[in-house]
Structures are given as structure tokens and as C-alpha cells.
Amino acid sequence: MQKRKLGTQGLEVSALGLGCMGMSWAYGPTDEAESLNVLQRALTLGINFWDTAEVYGPFKNEELLGKALKKNSRDKVIVATKFGFIWNEKNEINGTDSSPAHIRKSIEGSLKRLGTDYIDLYYQHRLDPKTPIEETMQALAELVKVGKIRYIGLSEVGPSTIRRAHAVHPVSVLQSEYSLWDRGIEEKILPTLRELGIGFVPFSPIGRGFLTGKIANLNDLEKDDFRQNLARFQGENFEHNIKLVKMVKSIGEKYNVTPVQVALAWLLHQGNDIVPIPGTKHVHYLEENVKSVDVKLPQAAWDEIQQLISTFEIKGVRYPESVMKFVDKSE
Ligand SMILES: NC(=O)c1ccc[n+]([C@@H]2O[C@H](COP(=O)([O-])OP(=O)(O)OC[C@H]3O[C@@H](n4cnc5c(N)ncnc54)[C@H](OP(=O)(O)O)[C@@H]3O)[C@@H](O)[C@H]2O)c1
């Protein structure tokens, strides 16, 4: 698999990463044995960039990756994890904490669960309004200095937070939502990253599964599936939004490319500084997704896709307010 550089500090990863969240959290039933197969198969296919977080489970997803890491030599995998959310006894997220003391506690837990003595890329999961980003970055810089983490990332923050953070210690990666149906980062965030030489990792690159066209309606999903709360998946919005997927599908069919492959290839086509991390807990989906790296479409097809997404109006916000309130709105 081709490699891509993220940031200018030396981080290099496979052009496509693997989102591991759904293996333990958020998207319905989980199957540990199959997830371990996915992780192993990913490595065989050359996908070495695994994305997890302390809060996925909580803790379970890092523990799962720890099991997979045990079977492989540590340096074969680029492990990215995240700190900064806090939750109640029902495991419901109820705040953020990026204070230096909390970071020092979180890193020890993550290292232990992952069974490693260093994390390649350590992201702040969401900005903590109570802790100035400068204090958070200083604490992370200390972790770099002692070798517990190699590179620093941020997630879902705006341009001025990115600039303030980067002034304290180089940020290598920003991770935020970006896909055919969510291009909110294009106007201000992506240009800021490019100016500062920071790499970009799009999460939910296939619209949490919607852009595959394989979800018929919400009844296909379990009652406690996170997507039940998302406006874009509801009733009339679903019926409207699926038209985009059908049009993408018909463009892809001319070149023997599936909708999910178009969605991922389009992201890869946006620049060499972009590494999508599609999530799956199924080997056969992984095998479909990995082929997106080799998709080559003529310029006319890219133009057609661009025209389509620029004119198609997606219905429904990407997050309910209870989740959106954690996203940094700094300009
Ligand atoms: N920083 C953040 O705040 C944040 C937020 C969200 C996600 N993330 C990270 O980003 C990763 C990816 O995002 P995501 O998981 O939310 O969304 P996604 O990658 O857009 O979509 C994942 C969904 O698509 C399905 N899928 C994948 N490939 C498929 C295929 N070929 N055919 C049919 N269905 C397919 C998966 O099904 P199965 O699971 O059933 O295989 C899963 O339900 C996560 O795993 C997580 O690591 C980060």
C-alpha cells in the first residue's frame, strides 16, 4: 500500500487507515474474534494505521487493539488513540477534561490497555473549554519529550485553536468529519492545515455507513445504534439523502467502482495530506474498502462527482446538539 506523510514531523502511515470504534462501540453488535481478524487482515493488506480512543467502550476498544498488538511486532502498527472525554457510571459522555493531570492519568491507562510503552499519535478528542489549549499542549509536549507519545493530534477544533496549539508544539494531524456528504472543513480548516503543514484524517469517511448505500432504513440498525439519533438517517431526510448515494453509485458503475470505493477514492483524491480511516468490523467490507486506493477515474468523472456534491443539499445536521456542543467553533 502507498504511504502518506501526515504533518512535517516525520509521521508516515498507509494511505488508508482503519477506524476501530465500531468494533467495540456505537454501531450495534460486536464480535471480538471477527474484529481481531479484521485487524490482522488490515496489516496483511498494508493498512498499518489503526484509530482508537480511550472512550470507545470505554476502554474496550483499546483493550481489543492491545490483543491484536500482542500478536504482531509493535513497530508494524501506527497506533492512534485519543484522550479528553469524561463519562458517567452509565458510560454516557458528560464532559471533557484536558487538564495536564487528567492527561497524565489517561496516557498511563491507554499504554496499559494497548500493551505498549509508546503511542504513535495521541489526539485530544475534543477541546476542553476549562483548560487553555496551551496548557494541554505543554502537557503533551512533555509526553513527547519522555517518549510516551511520538506525535500530537487534535480533533474537531477550529482554525484559531489549531494555530494556538501549533504555536506551543507542532501538531501533526487534525481529525474531523469529512466525506461526500459533509464538507464543512473545506472553507477554513483545510486551508489553515495546509498553511501550517498539518496532515488531515477524515473520520466517518463513508458517512457512518450511509454512503455505502447498503443501509435500507433505520430498521436495519439496532435500537441502541448511535445512528438512530442522527437527523440525516431519519425518515424524510433518509429518503432524500439516499438520492445522493444512488447518483454516486451510477457514476461509479461506469468504472466498476462501488459507492464506498468512490467515497474513499474521492477523499484520497483531495490531497496527499489526507488519510481517511473508514471503520469496519467485517473482513469482506475491509477488502472492498482497500481497493479504493487503486481507483483511477478520468477527470470527467471527478468533475461529475464534484458538480453533484456541490449542488446536492443534504438534509439534517450531522450531530444532535448534545454532541455538537463539544465541537470547537473557533474561527
Ligand atoms: N474523532 C472523532 O471524534 C471521531 C468520531 C467518529 C469516528 N471516529 C473514528 O473514525 C472511524 C471511522 O468513522 P465511523 O466508523 O464513524 O464511520 P465510517 O467509517 O464512515 O462508517 C463505518 C460504518 O460503515 C460500515 N461499512 C464500512 N465499510 C463498508 C462496506 N464496504 N460495505 C458496507 N458497510 C460498510 C461499517 O459497518 P460494520 O461496522 O458493520 O463493518 C460501519 O457501520 C471510527 O472507527 C473512529 O475510529 C472519530
Side-chain angles (χ1 to χ4, degrees):
M1 157 114 26
Q2 314 145 23
K3 294 263 167 50
R4 289 192 171 188
K5 288 186 176 30
L6 287 171
T8 51
Q9 291 68 51
L11 178 59
E12 197 178 64
V13 301
S14 50
L16 204 66
L18 177 63
C20 302
M21 176 179 78
M23 296 176 183
S24 315
W25 208 47
Y27 299 152
T30 58
D31 176 338
E32 179 173 305
E34 179 66 355
S35 291
L36 288 171
N37 287 339
V38 172
L39 289 160
Q40 205 58 45
R41 183 77 182 122
L43 277 187
T44 317
L45 292 167
I47 299 176
N48 73 348
F49 183 37
W50 295 356
D51 190 84
T52 182
E54 177 187 54
V55 75
Y56 299 162
F59 303 144
K60 291 187 191 136
N61 200 236
E62 287 186 336
E63 285 163 0
L64 176 78
L65 266 60
K67 286 183 190 168
L69 284 172
K70 251 190 210 150
K71 296 190 195 147
N72 290 285
S73 90
R74 173 65 186 87
D75 60 359
K76 275 197 183 153
V77 185
I78 304 290
V79 180
T81 192
K82 318 182 193 81
F83 68 90
F85 271 127
I86 50 176
W87 52 88
N88 63 20
E89 61 290 343
K90 287 192 217 146
N91 290 341
E92 296 157 344
I93 290 176
N94 61 0
T96 51
D97 189 346
S98 286
S99 61
H102 188 74
I103 292 174
R104 286 193 284 270
K105 186 165 165 248
S106 284
I107 184 81
E108 294 310 324
S110 291
L111 290 171
K112 195 160 171 228
R113 287 184 290 279
L114 290 161
T116 181
D117 53 7
Y118 70 94
I119 284 159
D120 296 281
L121 174 58
Y122 200 40
Y123 290 100
Q124 180 193 47
H125 211 152
R126 289 292 182 278
L127 188 69
D128 168 12
K130 301 179 301 307
T131 309
I133 190 69
E134 289 80 3
E135 281 181 30
T136 299
M137 288 300 291
Q138 270 151 14
L140 293 172
E142 281 301 313
L143 295 182
V144 173
K145 211 190 260 175
V146 298
K148 290 190 180 180
I149 66 176
R150 293 175 64 213
Y151 303 101
I152 299 174
L154 301 173
S155 177
E156 296 269 52
V157 291
S160 84
T161 303
I162 296 167
R163 286 181 194 284
R164 283 171 55 195
H166 198 66
V168 177
H169 184 283
V171 174
S172 299
V173 183
L174 177 81
Q175 177 174 138
S176 282
E177 186 161 358
Y178 187 36
S179 66
L180 289 175
W181 79 343
D182 207 296
R183 299 183 299 122
I185 56 105
E186 282 181 353
E187 198 187 333
K188 293 185 178 151
I189 294 178
L190 209 45
T192 307
L193 299 179
R194 287 183 168 155
E195 178 197 323
L196 300 175
I198 299 173
F200 183 63
V201 167
F203 75 66
S204 302
I206 42 179
R208 301 176 189 268
F210 192 90
L211 299 172
T212 66
K214 295 182 199 167
I215 303 172
N217 56 54
L218 273 181
N219 297 332
D220 277 4
L221 308 176
E222 301 286 314
K223 292 272 168 294
D224 62 349
D225 191 302
F226 175 70
R227 292 166 289 191
Q228 297 281 357
N229 309 316
L230 300 180
R232 291 182 179 186
F233 284 76
Q234 311 288 327
E236 281 179 18
N237 291 346
F238 190 107
E239 294 310 320
H240 171 79
N241 295 335
I242 203 71
K243 289 182 203 151
L244 173 75
V245 183
K246 287 184 179 152
M247 288 188 268
V248 167
K249 186 168 182 222
S250 74
I251 298 173
E253 270 166 0
K254 291 184 223 157
Y255 307 95
N256 211 12
V257 176
T258 66
V260 61
Q261 290 164 349
V262 175
L264 294 171
W266 177 81
L267 282 169
L268 290 164
H269 189 65
Q270 301 314 302
N272 284 334
D273 52 351
I274 294 185
V275 177
I277 47 166
T280 182
K281 48 194 173 193
H282 294 96
V283 170
H284 59 289
Y285 288 168
L286 177 78
E287 288 173 345
E288 179 182 358
N289 301 352
V290 74
K291 294 192 183 129
S292 60
V293 174
D294 299 316
V295 166
K296 297 218 173 10
L297 297 183
Q299 190 55 43
W302 292 125
D303 292 345
E304 199 181 346
I305 293 166
Q306 207 57 40
Q307 171 72 13
L308 176 61
I309 57 177
S310 321
T311 48
F312 190 93
E313 202 179 321
I314 291 292
K315 290 202 173 148
V317 288
R318 74 181 175 104
Y319 274 146
E321 186 41 41
S322 57
V323 183
M324 195 51 120
K325 69 180 181 198
F326 294 116
V327 174
D328 175 41
K329 319 280 186 314
S330 79
E331 292 278 320

